[in-house]
Amino acid sequence: MSCVSESILNTDGGSQHKALNIGVLAVQGDFAEHIAILRRIGVAAREVRLPEQLDGLDGLIIPGGESTTLSRLMSIYSLREPIARMAGEGRAVWGTCAGMIMLANEITEQDPVPLGLMDIGVQRNAFGRQVDSFEQPLPIGPLSAEPYNCIFIRAPVVIRVGPLVDVLASLDDGRPVAVKQGNLLATAFHPELTRDTRVHQYFVGLAESNSPASSLQ
Ligand code: GLN
């Protein structure tokens, strides 16, 4: 076992990211899986429940879960404004599934109230109740060519992208499921539920290039 994790650490080049600090919003959802992957690739990761825990972070992940609950808890813990400020400062923020819904500036329902940080329209539960979950290997633009096994669980889909948004991956029917707008990343699927660390590596690179420390160099 330890051989496996050491080789993952080495081949993933975790040590080069050692100085970075990534937070994972831990009010609800599968934050523990994100933290485990970040640590496996050698990146310092911590749970975020309070606004002051965003201080000094190079990036934030908003995990999958239930966006209506996430939305309420973000309001109760006064996290909306500081997360928006963090994104506005250019620090990297990534939303997966319910987290993607929270980043959108338009959703097809009244509830939840999203953060409105990315210029995307999102439809919740886009794949119907009977097909709540599925896996689909998809090429993801900035990653190496090997398709990435995307796990969709009661997943949303992007139904509109603004002019500043890059589509990184789409379903066969053309609907986007991974999008990026500057320092902001959103995926409709769950990279934290696979052993493939490439999307986390990509996000860490985004955090690194937008980190306040790197802009001083
Ligand atoms: N269907 C959930 C929602 O609308 C998202 C599911 C997930 O994050 N896996 O919030």
Side-chain angles (χ1 to χ4, degrees), residues 30 63-68 70 96-99 101 112 124-125 152-156 188 190:
D30 64 347
E66 184 57 43
S67 55
T68 51
L70 265 179
T96 57
C97 202
I101 297 167
R124 293 179 65 211
N125 300 324
F152 295 89
I153 303 171
R154 298 182 56 236
H190 288 269

Side-chain angles (χ1 to χ4, degrees), residues 62 80 83-85 87-88 93 102-105 114-120 181 184:
I62 304 176
R80 287 177 177 272
I83 292 174
R85 194 176 338 119
V93 181
M102 289 308 299
L103 288 183
N105 66 2
L115 293 165
L117 303 179
M118 287 183 86
D119 192 9
I120 51 174
Q181 181 179 344
L184 309 175

Side-chain angles (χ1 to χ4, degrees), residues 160-193:
R160 179 188 61 77
V161 293
L164 301 177
V165 175
D166 296 319
V167 174
L168 308 184
S170 302
L171 295 168
D172 293 344
D173 63 12
R175 289 183 292 174
V177 289
V179 289
K180 176 180 177 293
Q181 181 179 344
N183 53 314
L184 309 175
L185 177 67
T187 55
F189 50 89
H190 288 269
E192 72 285 7
L193 299 182

